[in-house]
Amino acid sequence: DAGITQSPRHKVTETGTPVTLRCHQTENHRYMYWYRQDPGHGLRLIHYSYGVKDTDKGEVSDGYSVSRSKTEDFLLTLESATSSQTSVYFCAIKPPGGEQFFGPGTRLTVL
Amino acid sequence: GQQVMQIPQYQHVQEGEDFTTYCNSSTTLSNIQWYKQRPGGHPVFLIQLVKSGEVKKQKRLTFQFGEAKKNSSLHITATQTTDVGTYFCAGPSTGTYKYIFGTGTRLKVLA
């Protein structure tokens, strides 16, 4: 498996609290992605990065922000968590022209 | 916006039967990727198709890319219990670095 980890792997939080999920890679790949996965919706892109400090929005970016201050780390922040953000979050990395390698996922529950 | 649709959403087959999932894009794709996600796991890359009309095989799996590069299919011959999971197609979003995933086909194989 590609060198990609996510932390935490599980988190339970309360509505209104900020939450930050971390994606860390050891592959030095340029592209990094954050997806959420919900039953019936497949994988939906939240934000992605095409380089350090270069990020863009995906399909479901409202309520989320990201930062990439160094190649290996891509952070996803829920500014004020809501119950609709309960989901499984996957990070992925990708070299130019290649496939995406996914992390193990973070299961987030917002009460 | 660009959409990638997959059918069927679910498929239950008896072990030994064949299985096919279809992927349709609203726009022409430069390439298409297929991923498999086992229950409780993360998506894993299977294959990438690039050429119009391309057919690739991986053991019992046959992948096709349509002549117009707007559709694709994955066919599994003589399914086994190890084929259980959700199969996703994904196509690049025109002019960006992101990929649009289909909603997935969840395969259940009955022994």
Side-chain angles (χ1 to χ4, degrees):
Chain A
D1 282 346
I4 175 171
T5 56
Q6 293 184 232
S7 59
R9 294 292 313 281
H10 302 271
K11 186 169 181 68
V12 180
T13 191
E14 294 188 346
T15 298
T17 59
V19 176
T20 295
L21 308 182
R22 181 184 184 228
C23 179
H24 179 77
Q25 64 153 326
T26 58
E27 304 296 322
N28 202 38
H29 286 335
R30 178 182 178 187
Y31 304 108
M32 298 185 76
Y33 304 83
W34 276 108
Y35 296 91
R36 61 177 290 175
Q37 186 172 37
D38 306 288
H41 290 279
L43 290 158
R44 292 184 292 175
L45 182 65
I46 305 171
H47 282 280
Y48 66 103
S49 171
Y50 48 96
V52 174
K53 299 191 189 304
D54 292 323
T55 65
D56 204 353
K57 296 179 179 180
E59 308 157 79
V60 290
S61 59
D62 287 348
Y64 301 94
S65 62
V66 290
S67 67
R68 192 172 179 197
S69 59
K70 44 187 179 177
T71 301
E72 56 265 37
D73 289 325
F74 192 33
L75 303 180
L76 176 71
T77 298
L78 288 64
E79 291 133 14
S80 178
T82 67
S83 59
S84 65
Q85 293 175 312
T86 291
S87 188
V88 179
Y89 292 85
F90 286 102
C91 176
I93 61 175
K94 178 183 172 306
E99 70 265 30
Q100 294 186 52
F101 298 94
F102 284 82
T106 294
R107 186 173 293 276
L108 176 67
T109 302
V110 183
L111 302 175
Chain B
Q2 184 178 352
Q3 291 186 324
V4 177
M5 306 298 293
Q6 260 184 277
I7 55 170
Q9 190 173 359
Y10 301 97
Q11 185 84 58
H12 294 182
V13 299
Q14 287 291 136
E15 189 173 20
E17 292 182 339
D18 292 356
F19 159 77
T20 304
T21 174
Y22 299 92
C23 180
N24 292 285
S25 171
S26 58
T27 61
T28 301
L29 301 170
S30 59
N31 65 78
I32 193 159
Q33 298 180 343
W34 284 92
Y35 294 80
K36 176 184 178 182
Q37 183 179 23
R38 295 183 185 274
H42 59 275
V44 175
F45 174 79
L46 293 176
I47 207 162
Q48 176 171 287
L49 304 172
V50 179
K51 298 177 183 176
S52 170
E54 188 171 15
V55 178
K56 285 189 174 181
K57 293 190 175 184
Q58 290 180 349
K59 297 183 180 178
R60 295 177 295 104
L61 278 62
T62 302
F63 303 83
Q64 290 189 323
F65 200 9
E67 294 289 342
K69 302 184 77 173
K70 293 183 72 174
N71 59 77
S72 181
S73 64
L74 158 60
H75 180 82
I76 302 178
T77 303
T79 55
Q80 300 176 358
T81 54
T82 53
D83 296 324
V84 165
T86 301
Y87 293 85
F88 294 98
C89 62
S93 177
T94 306
T96 75
Y97 301 108
K98 58 186 180 183
Y99 272 74
I100 306 298
F101 277 77
T103 47
T105 296
R106 187 172 174 183
L107 173 64
K108 189 168 184 177
V109 179
L110 307 172

